Short mmCIF file of all heavy atoms in Angstrom, two decimals:
data_model
loop_
_atom_site.label_atom_id
_atom_site.label_comp_id
_atom_site.label_asym_id
_atom_site.label_seq_id
_atom_site.Cartn_x
_atom_site.Cartn_y
_atom_site.Cartn_z
N MET A 2 -45.64 -33.64 36.46
CA MET A 2 -45.55 -32.35 37.10
C MET A 2 -45.74 -31.31 36.00
O MET A 2 -45.24 -31.37 34.90
CB MET A 2 -44.16 -32.16 37.69
CG MET A 2 -44.02 -30.86 38.42
SD MET A 2 -42.58 -30.74 39.41
CE MET A 2 -41.43 -29.91 38.36
N LYS A 3 -46.52 -30.29 36.36
CA LYS A 3 -46.86 -29.22 35.43
C LYS A 3 -46.19 -27.89 35.95
O LYS A 3 -46.32 -27.56 37.12
CB LYS A 3 -48.36 -29.01 35.40
CG LYS A 3 -48.84 -28.11 34.33
CD LYS A 3 -50.33 -28.12 34.22
CE LYS A 3 -50.79 -27.31 33.09
NZ LYS A 3 -52.32 -27.39 33.00
N LEU A 4 -45.44 -27.26 35.07
CA LEU A 4 -44.77 -26.01 35.46
C LEU A 4 -45.34 -24.87 34.65
O LEU A 4 -45.42 -24.95 33.41
CB LEU A 4 -43.28 -26.19 35.16
CG LEU A 4 -42.39 -24.95 35.41
CD1 LEU A 4 -42.38 -24.63 36.96
CD2 LEU A 4 -40.96 -25.22 35.02
N VAL A 5 -45.73 -23.80 35.32
CA VAL A 5 -46.31 -22.63 34.60
C VAL A 5 -45.41 -21.51 34.88
O VAL A 5 -45.01 -21.16 36.01
CB VAL A 5 -47.73 -22.35 35.14
CG1 VAL A 5 -48.27 -21.06 34.47
CG2 VAL A 5 -48.64 -23.50 34.94
N VAL A 6 -45.07 -20.78 33.79
CA VAL A 6 -44.14 -19.63 33.91
C VAL A 6 -44.88 -18.44 33.26
O VAL A 6 -45.32 -18.59 32.15
CB VAL A 6 -42.87 -19.88 33.17
CG1 VAL A 6 -41.92 -18.67 33.30
CG2 VAL A 6 -42.13 -21.13 33.79
N ARG A 7 -44.97 -17.34 33.96
CA ARG A 7 -45.46 -16.14 33.39
C ARG A 7 -44.34 -15.36 32.73
O ARG A 7 -43.24 -15.19 33.29
CB ARG A 7 -46.04 -15.24 34.49
CG ARG A 7 -47.36 -15.71 34.98
CD ARG A 7 -47.89 -14.72 35.93
NE ARG A 7 -49.29 -14.41 35.53
CZ ARG A 7 -50.07 -13.62 36.27
NH1 ARG A 7 -49.59 -13.04 37.34
NH2 ARG A 7 -51.30 -13.43 35.88
N VAL A 8 -44.59 -14.87 31.51
CA VAL A 8 -43.62 -14.12 30.75
C VAL A 8 -44.20 -12.83 30.31
O VAL A 8 -45.37 -12.79 29.79
CB VAL A 8 -43.11 -14.92 29.57
CG1 VAL A 8 -42.11 -14.13 28.75
CG2 VAL A 8 -42.51 -16.26 30.00
N LYS A 9 -43.55 -11.73 30.45
CA LYS A 9 -43.98 -10.45 29.96
C LYS A 9 -43.09 -10.02 28.83
O LYS A 9 -41.92 -9.84 29.02
CB LYS A 9 -44.01 -9.42 31.10
CG LYS A 9 -44.56 -8.12 30.69
CD LYS A 9 -44.70 -7.14 31.86
CE LYS A 9 -45.26 -5.80 31.37
NZ LYS A 9 -45.37 -4.91 32.50
N LEU A 10 -43.69 -9.81 27.65
CA LEU A 10 -42.87 -9.37 26.55
C LEU A 10 -42.72 -7.90 26.64
O LEU A 10 -43.61 -7.13 26.89
CB LEU A 10 -43.55 -9.69 25.20
CG LEU A 10 -43.76 -11.21 24.92
CD1 LEU A 10 -44.49 -11.32 23.52
CD2 LEU A 10 -42.39 -11.89 24.81
N LEU A 11 -41.50 -7.45 26.37
CA LEU A 11 -41.17 -6.01 26.31
C LEU A 11 -40.45 -5.71 25.04
O LEU A 11 -39.25 -5.41 25.04
CB LEU A 11 -40.32 -5.63 27.54
CG LEU A 11 -40.89 -5.83 28.92
CD1 LEU A 11 -39.93 -5.64 30.02
CD2 LEU A 11 -42.13 -4.93 29.11
N PRO A 12 -41.19 -5.73 23.91
CA PRO A 12 -40.54 -5.50 22.63
C PRO A 12 -40.24 -4.04 22.40
O PRO A 12 -40.87 -3.16 22.93
CB PRO A 12 -41.58 -6.01 21.66
CG PRO A 12 -42.90 -5.82 22.32
CD PRO A 12 -42.64 -6.04 23.77
N THR A 13 -39.21 -3.84 21.53
CA THR A 13 -38.97 -2.47 21.12
C THR A 13 -40.10 -2.07 20.18
O THR A 13 -40.90 -2.95 19.73
CB THR A 13 -37.63 -2.40 20.31
OG1 THR A 13 -37.78 -3.17 19.14
CG2 THR A 13 -36.50 -2.95 21.19
N PRO A 14 -40.22 -0.78 19.81
CA PRO A 14 -41.31 -0.37 18.91
C PRO A 14 -41.23 -1.13 17.59
O PRO A 14 -42.27 -1.50 17.02
CB PRO A 14 -41.06 1.12 18.77
CG PRO A 14 -40.47 1.51 20.03
CD PRO A 14 -39.58 0.40 20.42
N VAL A 15 -40.07 -1.37 17.07
CA VAL A 15 -39.93 -2.11 15.79
C VAL A 15 -40.40 -3.53 15.94
O VAL A 15 -41.10 -4.05 15.11
CB VAL A 15 -38.46 -2.03 15.27
CG1 VAL A 15 -38.28 -2.90 14.09
CG2 VAL A 15 -38.08 -0.57 14.96
N GLN A 16 -39.98 -4.19 17.04
CA GLN A 16 -40.40 -5.55 17.26
C GLN A 16 -41.91 -5.64 17.54
O GLN A 16 -42.55 -6.59 17.05
CB GLN A 16 -39.68 -6.13 18.49
CG GLN A 16 -38.18 -6.31 18.28
CD GLN A 16 -37.42 -6.65 19.57
OE1 GLN A 16 -37.83 -6.21 20.68
NE2 GLN A 16 -36.37 -7.42 19.45
N ALA A 17 -42.47 -4.64 18.21
CA ALA A 17 -43.91 -4.63 18.49
C ALA A 17 -44.65 -4.56 17.14
O ALA A 17 -45.68 -5.18 16.97
CB ALA A 17 -44.29 -3.49 19.37
N ALA A 18 -44.20 -3.74 16.22
CA ALA A 18 -44.84 -3.65 14.93
C ALA A 18 -44.73 -4.89 14.19
O ALA A 18 -45.74 -5.34 13.51
CB ALA A 18 -44.20 -2.47 14.10
N ALA A 19 -43.58 -5.60 14.23
CA ALA A 19 -43.47 -6.86 13.53
C ALA A 19 -44.35 -7.95 14.15
O ALA A 19 -45.00 -8.71 13.44
CB ALA A 19 -41.96 -7.32 13.59
N LEU A 20 -44.45 -7.98 15.46
CA LEU A 20 -45.35 -8.88 16.15
C LEU A 20 -46.78 -8.66 15.77
O LEU A 20 -47.58 -9.62 15.49
CB LEU A 20 -45.17 -8.80 17.64
CG LEU A 20 -43.95 -9.45 18.27
CD1 LEU A 20 -43.83 -9.01 19.75
CD2 LEU A 20 -44.02 -10.96 18.20
N GLU A 21 -47.19 -7.42 15.72
CA GLU A 21 -48.57 -7.08 15.40
C GLU A 21 -48.88 -7.45 13.94
O GLU A 21 -49.91 -8.04 13.64
CB GLU A 21 -48.79 -5.59 15.52
CG GLU A 21 -50.30 -5.19 15.35
CD GLU A 21 -50.48 -3.69 15.69
OE1 GLU A 21 -49.61 -3.02 16.26
OE2 GLU A 21 -51.57 -3.24 15.27
N ALA A 22 -47.94 -7.23 13.01
CA ALA A 22 -48.15 -7.62 11.63
C ALA A 22 -48.23 -9.13 11.52
O ALA A 22 -49.07 -9.64 10.72
CB ALA A 22 -46.98 -7.05 10.77
N THR A 23 -47.39 -9.85 12.22
CA THR A 23 -47.44 -11.34 12.19
C THR A 23 -48.76 -11.84 12.72
O THR A 23 -49.37 -12.73 12.13
CB THR A 23 -46.28 -11.89 13.00
OG1 THR A 23 -45.05 -11.44 12.51
CG2 THR A 23 -46.30 -13.42 13.05
N LEU A 24 -49.19 -11.32 13.82
CA LEU A 24 -50.47 -11.78 14.40
C LEU A 24 -51.64 -11.47 13.44
O LEU A 24 -52.60 -12.26 13.30
CB LEU A 24 -50.72 -11.17 15.80
CG LEU A 24 -49.82 -11.68 16.89
CD1 LEU A 24 -50.04 -10.89 18.17
CD2 LEU A 24 -50.06 -13.14 17.09
N HIS A 25 -51.65 -10.28 12.85
CA HIS A 25 -52.65 -9.91 11.88
C HIS A 25 -52.69 -10.91 10.69
O HIS A 25 -53.76 -11.32 10.32
CB HIS A 25 -52.47 -8.48 11.41
CG HIS A 25 -53.48 -8.00 10.51
ND1 HIS A 25 -54.75 -7.74 10.90
CD2 HIS A 25 -53.47 -7.70 9.17
CE1 HIS A 25 -55.49 -7.33 9.91
NE2 HIS A 25 -54.71 -7.32 8.82
N GLY A 26 -51.50 -11.24 10.17
CA GLY A 26 -51.36 -12.19 9.08
C GLY A 26 -51.89 -13.53 9.42
O GLY A 26 -52.62 -14.20 8.65
N CYS A 27 -51.56 -14.03 10.59
CA CYS A 27 -52.00 -15.33 11.08
C CYS A 27 -53.53 -15.33 11.26
O CYS A 27 -54.17 -16.32 10.88
CB CYS A 27 -51.33 -15.67 12.44
SG CYS A 27 -49.65 -16.07 12.27
N ASN A 28 -54.07 -14.26 11.77
CA ASN A 28 -55.51 -14.16 11.91
C ASN A 28 -56.23 -14.19 10.61
O ASN A 28 -57.25 -14.85 10.44
CB ASN A 28 -55.89 -12.95 12.73
CG ASN A 28 -57.35 -12.95 13.12
OD1 ASN A 28 -57.92 -13.96 13.45
ND2 ASN A 28 -57.95 -11.73 13.11
N GLU A 29 -55.76 -13.47 9.63
CA GLU A 29 -56.35 -13.47 8.30
C GLU A 29 -56.26 -14.89 7.67
O GLU A 29 -57.25 -15.32 7.10
CB GLU A 29 -55.60 -12.48 7.36
CG GLU A 29 -55.95 -11.04 7.56
CD GLU A 29 -55.27 -10.12 6.59
OE1 GLU A 29 -54.56 -10.63 5.69
OE2 GLU A 29 -55.40 -8.95 6.72
N ALA A 30 -55.11 -15.55 7.78
CA ALA A 30 -55.01 -16.90 7.23
C ALA A 30 -55.97 -17.83 7.97
O ALA A 30 -56.56 -18.64 7.27
CB ALA A 30 -53.55 -17.38 7.39
N ALA A 31 -56.08 -17.78 9.25
CA ALA A 31 -57.01 -18.67 9.96
C ALA A 31 -58.43 -18.40 9.56
O ALA A 31 -59.23 -19.38 9.39
CB ALA A 31 -56.81 -18.49 11.48
N THR A 32 -58.81 -17.15 9.44
CA THR A 32 -60.18 -16.84 9.02
C THR A 32 -60.45 -17.37 7.63
O THR A 32 -61.56 -17.92 7.40
CB THR A 32 -60.37 -15.31 9.09
OG1 THR A 32 -60.14 -14.85 10.39
CG2 THR A 32 -61.77 -14.91 8.63
N TRP A 33 -59.56 -17.18 6.74
CA TRP A 33 -59.69 -17.65 5.33
C TRP A 33 -59.81 -19.20 5.32
O TRP A 33 -60.64 -19.77 4.66
CB TRP A 33 -58.55 -17.15 4.49
CG TRP A 33 -58.62 -17.67 3.09
CD1 TRP A 33 -59.45 -17.24 2.06
CD2 TRP A 33 -57.84 -18.79 2.52
NE1 TRP A 33 -59.26 -18.02 0.93
CE2 TRP A 33 -58.26 -18.90 1.19
CE3 TRP A 33 -56.87 -19.60 2.99
CZ2 TRP A 33 -57.68 -19.90 0.34
CZ3 TRP A 33 -56.35 -20.55 2.20
CH2 TRP A 33 -56.72 -20.66 0.90
N ALA A 34 -58.90 -19.85 6.09
CA ALA A 34 -58.93 -21.32 6.12
C ALA A 34 -60.26 -21.87 6.74
O ALA A 34 -60.77 -22.86 6.23
CB ALA A 34 -57.74 -21.83 6.92
N ALA A 35 -60.80 -21.15 7.67
CA ALA A 35 -62.05 -21.58 8.29
C ALA A 35 -63.19 -21.44 7.24
O ALA A 35 -64.08 -22.26 7.22
CB ALA A 35 -62.35 -20.73 9.57
N ARG A 36 -63.10 -20.37 6.43
CA ARG A 36 -64.10 -20.16 5.42
C ARG A 36 -64.03 -21.32 4.37
O ARG A 36 -65.10 -21.85 3.99
CB ARG A 36 -63.96 -18.83 4.75
CG ARG A 36 -65.06 -18.47 3.80
CD ARG A 36 -64.97 -17.11 3.14
NE ARG A 36 -64.44 -16.08 4.03
CZ ARG A 36 -63.37 -15.38 3.79
NH1 ARG A 36 -62.60 -15.61 2.72
NH2 ARG A 36 -62.90 -14.46 4.65
N ILE A 37 -62.85 -21.64 4.01
CA ILE A 37 -62.63 -22.75 3.04
C ILE A 37 -63.15 -24.05 3.61
O ILE A 37 -63.77 -24.83 2.92
CB ILE A 37 -61.16 -22.88 2.61
CG1 ILE A 37 -60.68 -21.63 1.89
CG2 ILE A 37 -60.93 -24.09 1.73
CD1 ILE A 37 -61.43 -21.32 0.58
N ALA A 38 -62.82 -24.31 4.84
CA ALA A 38 -63.30 -25.55 5.54
C ALA A 38 -64.77 -25.64 5.49
O ALA A 38 -65.37 -26.69 5.23
CB ALA A 38 -62.77 -25.58 6.95
N PHE A 39 -65.45 -24.52 5.76
CA PHE A 39 -66.91 -24.51 5.76
C PHE A 39 -67.48 -24.70 4.37
O PHE A 39 -68.39 -25.51 4.14
CB PHE A 39 -67.42 -23.21 6.38
CG PHE A 39 -68.92 -23.13 6.43
CD1 PHE A 39 -69.63 -23.80 7.43
CD2 PHE A 39 -69.65 -22.32 5.51
CE1 PHE A 39 -71.01 -23.73 7.43
CE2 PHE A 39 -70.99 -22.26 5.57
CZ PHE A 39 -71.69 -22.96 6.52
N GLU A 40 -66.93 -23.95 3.38
CA GLU A 40 -67.40 -24.06 2.01
C GLU A 40 -67.20 -25.45 1.38
O GLU A 40 -68.05 -25.94 0.65
CB GLU A 40 -66.71 -23.01 1.13
CG GLU A 40 -67.15 -21.59 1.46
CD GLU A 40 -66.30 -20.56 0.74
OE1 GLU A 40 -65.38 -20.94 0.02
OE2 GLU A 40 -66.56 -19.36 0.90
N GLU A 41 -66.01 -26.03 1.66
CA GLU A 41 -65.74 -27.33 1.14
C GLU A 41 -66.13 -28.50 1.97
O GLU A 41 -65.98 -29.68 1.65
CB GLU A 41 -64.17 -27.46 0.90
CG GLU A 41 -63.65 -26.43 -0.09
CD GLU A 41 -64.06 -26.61 -1.50
OE1 GLU A 41 -64.30 -27.83 -1.88
OE2 GLU A 41 -64.19 -25.60 -2.21
N ASP A 42 -66.76 -28.20 3.13
CA ASP A 42 -67.19 -29.19 4.13
C ASP A 42 -66.02 -30.14 4.52
O ASP A 42 -66.21 -31.38 4.47
CB ASP A 42 -68.36 -29.98 3.61
CG ASP A 42 -69.05 -30.75 4.73
OD1 ASP A 42 -69.09 -30.28 5.89
OD2 ASP A 42 -69.63 -31.82 4.42
N VAL A 43 -64.88 -29.51 4.78
CA VAL A 43 -63.69 -30.31 5.18
C VAL A 43 -63.62 -30.25 6.71
O VAL A 43 -63.63 -29.17 7.32
CB VAL A 43 -62.43 -29.65 4.57
CG1 VAL A 43 -61.21 -30.43 5.03
CG2 VAL A 43 -62.55 -29.64 3.06
N ARG A 44 -63.52 -31.42 7.34
CA ARG A 44 -63.52 -31.54 8.81
C ARG A 44 -62.21 -31.96 9.38
O ARG A 44 -61.97 -31.84 10.58
CB ARG A 44 -64.65 -32.41 9.23
CG ARG A 44 -65.96 -31.96 8.85
CD ARG A 44 -67.09 -32.79 9.43
NE ARG A 44 -68.38 -32.53 8.83
CZ ARG A 44 -69.16 -31.52 9.16
NH1 ARG A 44 -68.79 -30.69 10.10
NH2 ARG A 44 -70.36 -31.36 8.60
N ARG A 45 -61.32 -32.50 8.58
CA ARG A 45 -60.05 -32.97 9.06
C ARG A 45 -58.89 -32.10 8.63
O ARG A 45 -58.85 -31.60 7.57
CB ARG A 45 -59.81 -34.42 8.56
CG ARG A 45 -60.92 -35.37 9.09
CD ARG A 45 -60.62 -36.76 8.72
NE ARG A 45 -61.74 -37.55 9.31
CZ ARG A 45 -61.67 -38.88 9.38
NH1 ARG A 45 -60.63 -39.53 8.96
NH2 ARG A 45 -62.69 -39.49 9.90
N PRO A 46 -57.90 -31.93 9.55
CA PRO A 46 -56.77 -31.09 9.27
C PRO A 46 -56.05 -31.38 7.98
O PRO A 46 -55.70 -30.51 7.22
CB PRO A 46 -55.86 -31.23 10.47
CG PRO A 46 -56.76 -31.65 11.56
CD PRO A 46 -57.80 -32.49 10.93
N LEU A 47 -55.78 -32.64 7.68
CA LEU A 47 -55.05 -33.02 6.45
C LEU A 47 -55.88 -32.64 5.23
O LEU A 47 -55.36 -32.13 4.28
CB LEU A 47 -54.76 -34.52 6.49
CG LEU A 47 -53.83 -34.96 5.32
CD1 LEU A 47 -52.49 -34.20 5.29
CD2 LEU A 47 -53.56 -36.42 5.42
N GLY A 48 -57.14 -32.85 5.28
CA GLY A 48 -58.03 -32.50 4.19
C GLY A 48 -58.03 -30.95 3.90
O GLY A 48 -57.92 -30.51 2.80
N LEU A 49 -58.10 -30.21 5.03
CA LEU A 49 -58.04 -28.77 4.92
C LEU A 49 -56.67 -28.26 4.38
O LEU A 49 -56.64 -27.39 3.58
CB LEU A 49 -58.34 -28.09 6.28
CG LEU A 49 -58.41 -26.62 6.29
CD1 LEU A 49 -59.43 -26.06 5.33
CD2 LEU A 49 -58.60 -26.08 7.69
N ARG A 50 -55.64 -28.94 4.80
CA ARG A 50 -54.29 -28.58 4.37
C ARG A 50 -54.18 -28.74 2.86
O ARG A 50 -53.55 -27.87 2.18
CB ARG A 50 -53.24 -29.42 5.06
CG ARG A 50 -51.81 -28.98 4.82
CD ARG A 50 -50.85 -29.81 5.61
NE ARG A 50 -51.15 -29.84 7.01
CZ ARG A 50 -50.88 -30.86 7.78
NH1 ARG A 50 -50.25 -31.93 7.35
NH2 ARG A 50 -51.17 -30.80 9.09
N LYS A 51 -54.79 -29.72 2.29
CA LYS A 51 -54.78 -29.94 0.84
C LYS A 51 -55.41 -28.74 0.07
O LYS A 51 -54.99 -28.44 -1.00
CB LYS A 51 -55.45 -31.21 0.43
CG LYS A 51 -54.71 -32.46 0.88
CD LYS A 51 -55.46 -33.73 0.53
CE LYS A 51 -54.72 -34.94 1.07
NZ LYS A 51 -55.46 -36.21 0.81
N HIS A 52 -56.42 -28.11 0.75
CA HIS A 52 -57.09 -27.00 0.08
C HIS A 52 -56.44 -25.65 0.30
O HIS A 52 -56.67 -24.73 -0.41
CB HIS A 52 -58.57 -26.93 0.63
CG HIS A 52 -59.41 -28.05 0.22
ND1 HIS A 52 -59.94 -28.14 -1.03
CD2 HIS A 52 -59.81 -29.18 0.88
CE1 HIS A 52 -60.68 -29.23 -1.16
NE2 HIS A 52 -60.63 -29.89 -0.01
N THR A 53 -55.64 -25.52 1.36
CA THR A 53 -55.21 -24.26 1.79
C THR A 53 -53.71 -23.98 1.93
O THR A 53 -53.23 -22.83 1.87
CB THR A 53 -55.83 -23.87 3.19
OG1 THR A 53 -55.35 -24.86 4.16
CG2 THR A 53 -57.31 -23.81 3.14
N TYR A 54 -52.89 -25.02 2.09
CA TYR A 54 -51.52 -24.87 2.44
C TYR A 54 -50.74 -24.03 1.45
O TYR A 54 -50.06 -23.05 1.86
CB TYR A 54 -50.86 -26.24 2.59
CG TYR A 54 -49.39 -26.16 3.03
CD1 TYR A 54 -49.07 -25.89 4.39
CD2 TYR A 54 -48.35 -26.25 2.08
CE1 TYR A 54 -47.74 -25.83 4.73
CE2 TYR A 54 -47.03 -26.15 2.52
CZ TYR A 54 -46.72 -25.94 3.79
OH TYR A 54 -45.42 -25.83 4.18
N THR A 55 -50.81 -24.31 0.18
CA THR A 55 -50.02 -23.65 -0.77
C THR A 55 -50.37 -22.17 -0.84
O THR A 55 -49.44 -21.28 -0.88
CB THR A 55 -50.23 -24.28 -2.18
OG1 THR A 55 -49.92 -25.64 -2.12
CG2 THR A 55 -49.36 -23.59 -3.22
N GLU A 56 -51.63 -21.84 -0.84
CA GLU A 56 -51.97 -20.41 -0.91
C GLU A 56 -51.59 -19.64 0.29
O GLU A 56 -51.11 -18.54 0.20
CB GLU A 56 -53.50 -20.25 -1.16
CG GLU A 56 -53.85 -18.83 -1.46
CD GLU A 56 -55.24 -18.64 -1.99
OE1 GLU A 56 -55.76 -19.59 -2.57
OE2 GLU A 56 -55.77 -17.53 -1.87
N ILE A 57 -51.73 -20.22 1.51
CA ILE A 57 -51.29 -19.62 2.72
C ILE A 57 -49.81 -19.33 2.68
O ILE A 57 -49.34 -18.22 3.07
CB ILE A 57 -51.75 -20.37 3.97
CG1 ILE A 57 -53.28 -20.25 4.16
CG2 ILE A 57 -51.03 -19.84 5.21
CD1 ILE A 57 -53.81 -21.05 5.27
N ARG A 58 -49.00 -20.28 2.25
CA ARG A 58 -47.59 -20.10 2.13
C ARG A 58 -47.21 -19.00 1.20
O ARG A 58 -46.29 -18.20 1.42
CB ARG A 58 -46.87 -21.41 1.72
CG ARG A 58 -46.88 -22.50 2.73
CD ARG A 58 -45.95 -22.23 3.87
NE ARG A 58 -44.62 -22.21 3.35
CZ ARG A 58 -43.53 -21.96 4.06
NH1 ARG A 58 -43.66 -21.69 5.36
NH2 ARG A 58 -42.38 -21.96 3.54
N GLU A 59 -47.95 -18.93 0.07
CA GLU A 59 -47.62 -17.87 -0.93
C GLU A 59 -47.96 -16.49 -0.37
O GLU A 59 -47.27 -15.53 -0.70
CB GLU A 59 -48.42 -18.12 -2.24
CG GLU A 59 -47.88 -19.32 -3.00
CD GLU A 59 -48.77 -19.71 -4.20
OE1 GLU A 59 -49.83 -19.04 -4.35
OE2 GLU A 59 -48.38 -20.61 -4.89
N ARG A 60 -49.03 -16.36 0.40
CA ARG A 60 -49.37 -15.08 0.94
C ARG A 60 -48.37 -14.64 1.96
O ARG A 60 -48.10 -13.52 2.11
CB ARG A 60 -50.73 -15.21 1.65
CG ARG A 60 -51.90 -15.34 0.69
CD ARG A 60 -53.16 -15.40 1.48
NE ARG A 60 -54.33 -15.63 0.65
CZ ARG A 60 -55.58 -15.55 1.05
NH1 ARG A 60 -55.85 -15.21 2.28
NH2 ARG A 60 -56.60 -15.77 0.25
#
């Protein structure tokens, strides 16, 4: 059985700013990781993790 629930977030202005900053950071990290995957010709998640994990955590 599949259950679908619609949720509407109603953050405060401070929470909205924090959510936006988090999403922006995640997007930057994903874009950078995709670039590394292409440059290093890495196709598997574990291989990509070896190239990117430490730096993404530090950022």
Side-chain angles (χ1 to χ4, degrees):
M2 181 167 97
K3 188 174 189 181
L4 179 64
V5 177
V6 178
R7 285 185 131 174
V8 178
K9 183 175 181 179
L10 296 178
L11 298 172
T13 66
V15 173
Q16 292 170 330
L20 284 169
E21 186 175 347
T23 300
L24 289 174
H25 182 69
C27 288
N28 189 37
E29 283 184 4
T32 300
W33 178 76
R36 187 177 323 120
I37 296 298
F39 181 76
E40 290 171 0
E41 300 291 329
D42 195 30
V43 178
R44 300 187 191 277
R45 297 186 179 194
L47 186 56
L49 182 59
R50 190 177 304 151
K51 290 177 183 177
H52 291 283
T53 59
Y54 182 80
T55 303
E56 188 166 338
I57 288 175
R58 289 287 295 178
E59 289 173 357
R60 288 182 184 190

